[in-house]
Amino acid sequence: GVPDERLTLAQAINAELADLLGSRPGMLLFGEDVARKGGVYGVTRGLLKKFGAGRVFDTVLDEQSILGLALGTGLSGLLPVPEIQYLAYLHNALDQIRGEAATLGFFSQRQYANPMVVRVAGYAYQKGFGGHFHNDNAVGALRDIPGLVIASPSRPDDAAGMLRTC
């Protein structure tokens, strides 16, 4: 459902993720600090306790591994929802999306598809923290990849609806 207008963006995404995890038994939520810490901005807070470590879990601090795991779980019939902490961290693993996930259907003549939904924190600015690694908003790195759908919410209700649609 549509979240209450008084929710923050993070709260709306959290509520939608909880709803989706509850209705989709094959959905997995994972990434750096996603489970115990609740994600870099607390977006996934409480989901580990509610859905367990088999469905919500922390990964190693390596974006290539995170997206590689998402590719494999997607091909095995699960619905992976990996989180990349910051947009700048995606650059070193972009070929997992560009060269593998987004082109899988094309190169397999539609025999395979990858259903992964990659969540990336972006558009924020953390003054005095992390420099360009935490403040990079180079959406253009994703924009021109054929086969990729980008959902970029501006409001909490946008975020929940876009997440569900993806």
Side-chain angles (χ1 to χ4, degrees):
V2 176
D4 187 303
E5 290 180 12
R6 294 169 294 207
L7 294 179
T8 66
L9 192 71
Q11 291 168 331
I13 293 170
N14 179 281
E16 194 65 30
L17 286 169
D19 190 47
L20 290 167
L21 282 161
S23 65
R24 297 174 182 258
M27 182 174 160
L28 304 175
L29 187 63
F30 55 90
E32 299 169 8
D33 298 325
V34 165
R36 289 184 307 242
K37 185 178 173 189
V40 69
Y41 292 111
V43 172
T44 57
R45 192 171 289 134
L47 298 178
L48 168 63
K49 184 176 182 181
K50 189 169 185 177
F51 296 99
R55 301 204 40 222
V56 179
F57 53 91
D58 292 328
T59 64
V60 296
L61 301 176
D62 179 62
E63 289 73 20
Q64 290 180 2
S65 295
I66 294 167
L67 294 178
L69 177 62
L71 284 164
T73 56
L75 285 172
S76 72
L78 298 170
L79 174 58
V81 183
E83 177 184 286
I84 302 297
Q85 283 191 345
Y86 300 98
L87 186 56
Y89 294 176
L90 184 65
H91 297 298
N92 70 323
L94 200 54
D95 195 54
Q96 297 279 24
I97 292 176
R98 181 185 56 244
E100 299 291 336
T103 59
L104 187 60
F106 176 77
F107 287 117
S108 70
Q109 296 180 351
R110 303 281 177 234
Q111 290 182 313
Y112 300 101
N114 196 295
M116 80 167 122
V117 177
V118 181
R119 292 189 44 259
V120 184
Y123 307 131
Y125 176 72
Q126 294 178 311
K127 187 174 183 179
F129 178 68
H132 68 284
F133 288 110
H134 295 131
N135 299 310
D136 180 339
N137 292 309
V139 177
L142 298 169
R143 182 194 62 221
D144 297 330
I145 299 174
L148 192 66
V149 174
I150 299 174
S152 182
S154 61
R155 302 184 321 261
D157 60 325
D158 279 347
M162 287 180 181
L163 181 59
R164 179 167 292 279
T165 300
C166 291

